[in-house]
Amino acid sequence: GAVVSQHPSWVICKSGTSVKIECRSLDFQATTMFWYRQFPKQSLMLMATSNEGSKATYEQGVEKDKFLINHASLTLSTLTVTSAHPEDSSFYICSLLVAHRGYTGELFFGEGSRLTVL
Amino acid sequence: ELKVEQNPLFLSMQEGKNYTIYCNYSTTSDRLYWYRQDPGKSLESLFVLLSNGAVKQEGRLMASLDTKARLSTLHITAAVHDLSATYFCAVQSYNTDKLIFGTGTRLQVFP
């Protein structure tokens, strides 16, 4: 069964509005989650590392004021795209790092959220 | 900075043929993953390779890892149409656990 649940699957919004995407761990405590974005026909680009109870760590070139990450509990991380614009339209995927099975960690991916900004 | 390169970027092949996708990475790591992505979908985990010389096989796909050469391969044997998808390798950073993805290989298998 699914380890990570991501919601919504697809969202269309008007330019200038904010959109929140949720990433929920179903079976494991998630101290660390990663957020990726993927433009059409491109690879996944790591946006940020979300740490439970502390500030997210953003990759170079990712605006932290635009992509707000909150990881207030061990099962939920949220990504809010603030004042979205058409260039923010993308496929956003979260992943959960599970530290078990004898090594540092395996990653499980959410189903992804397709954001279209009109 | 960890960089991951994949080639080829696009591969069109006939059913029944064999081919290999290559994944090179720039810094030390012994954790490499292969994923499949269908259009509009998230990632499906194919293989997890955790040590030098690791080889794993599932159906018509076989993956291997050479940590000394910083190279992983995904070999396709007797391709079938159902294998058409985009394949990504990803390398996990030793220090940060971040997963950095390769450029992806879009595979198209035709009759």
Side-chain angles (χ1 to χ4, degrees):
Chain A
V3 175
V4 183
S5 174
Q6 196 172 334
H7 173 81
S9 302
W10 193 15
V11 57
I12 301 174
C13 70
K14 289 185 177 179
S15 188
T17 59
S18 295
V19 173
K20 182 187 284 189
I21 300 169
E22 294 186 349
C23 182
R24 194 175 295 276
S25 171
L26 302 179
D27 294 321
F28 301 98
Q29 291 189 337
T31 54
T32 303
M33 287 187 172
F34 299 100
W35 286 94
Y36 292 86
R37 68 186 296 182
Q38 184 181 33
F39 291 111
K41 300 193 188 308
Q42 292 189 23
S43 186
L44 281 77
M45 298 300 296
L46 180 63
M47 298 175 67
T49 304
S50 171
N51 301 297
E52 187 267 334
S54 64
K55 290 183 180 179
T57 305
Y58 290 82
E59 295 298 303
Q60 194 170 10
V62 178
E63 300 174 60
K64 55 184 170 186
D65 293 332
K66 176 140 189 86
F67 299 100
L68 299 179
I69 291 173
N70 184 285
H71 194 157
S73 79
L74 283 172
T75 59
L76 178 65
S77 175
T78 61
L79 169 69
T80 302
V81 183
T82 62
S83 187
H85 289 283
E87 58 264 30
D88 298 323
S89 299
S90 187
F91 193 49
Y92 293 87
I93 308 176
C94 68
S95 72
L96 160 66
L97 179 66
V98 177
H100 69 147
R101 302 184 188 177
Y103 64 101
T104 303
E106 183 178 359
L107 285 119
F108 296 90
F109 286 84
E111 306 95 330
S113 299
R114 184 164 304 282
L115 170 63
T116 301
V117 185
L118 302 177
Chain B
E1 183 189 346
L2 174 58
K3 294 192 181 208
V4 184
E5 290 187 358
Q6 238 175 288
N7 70 84
L9 298 180
F10 177 75
L11 176 58
S12 182
M13 59 191 291
Q14 197 170 18
E15 280 190 328
K17 299 293 186 183
N18 306 330
Y19 206 82
T20 300
I21 299 170
Y22 297 88
C23 175
N24 291 90
Y25 54 98
S26 61
T27 64
T28 301
S29 175
D30 57 1
R31 287 172 283 174
L32 190 137
Y33 303 79
W34 283 96
Y35 294 94
R36 168 182 171 142
Q37 187 179 39
D38 291 297
K41 303 287 186 180
S42 188
L43 303 174
E44 174 189 349
S45 179
L46 295 176
F47 299 107
V48 180
L49 303 169
L50 299 175
S51 61
N52 186 39
V55 177
K56 290 197 175 178
Q57 182 164 3
E58 181 73 36
R60 301 174 189 274
L61 301 177
M62 183 172 71
S64 67
L65 177 61
D66 180 344
T67 58
K68 293 180 181 176
R70 297 178 186 168
L71 170 68
S72 179
T73 62
L74 179 67
H75 186 73
I76 303 157
T77 301
V80 292
H81 179 71
D82 285 351
L83 290 179
S84 298
T86 299
Y87 293 85
F88 291 98
C89 67
V91 179
Q92 195 163 19
S93 167
Y94 201 72
N95 297 323
T96 66
D97 291 326
K98 293 179 187 178
L99 199 63
I100 305 300
F101 282 81
T103 43
T105 297
R106 187 169 158 222
L107 172 64
Q108 192 175 67
V109 181
F110 59 91

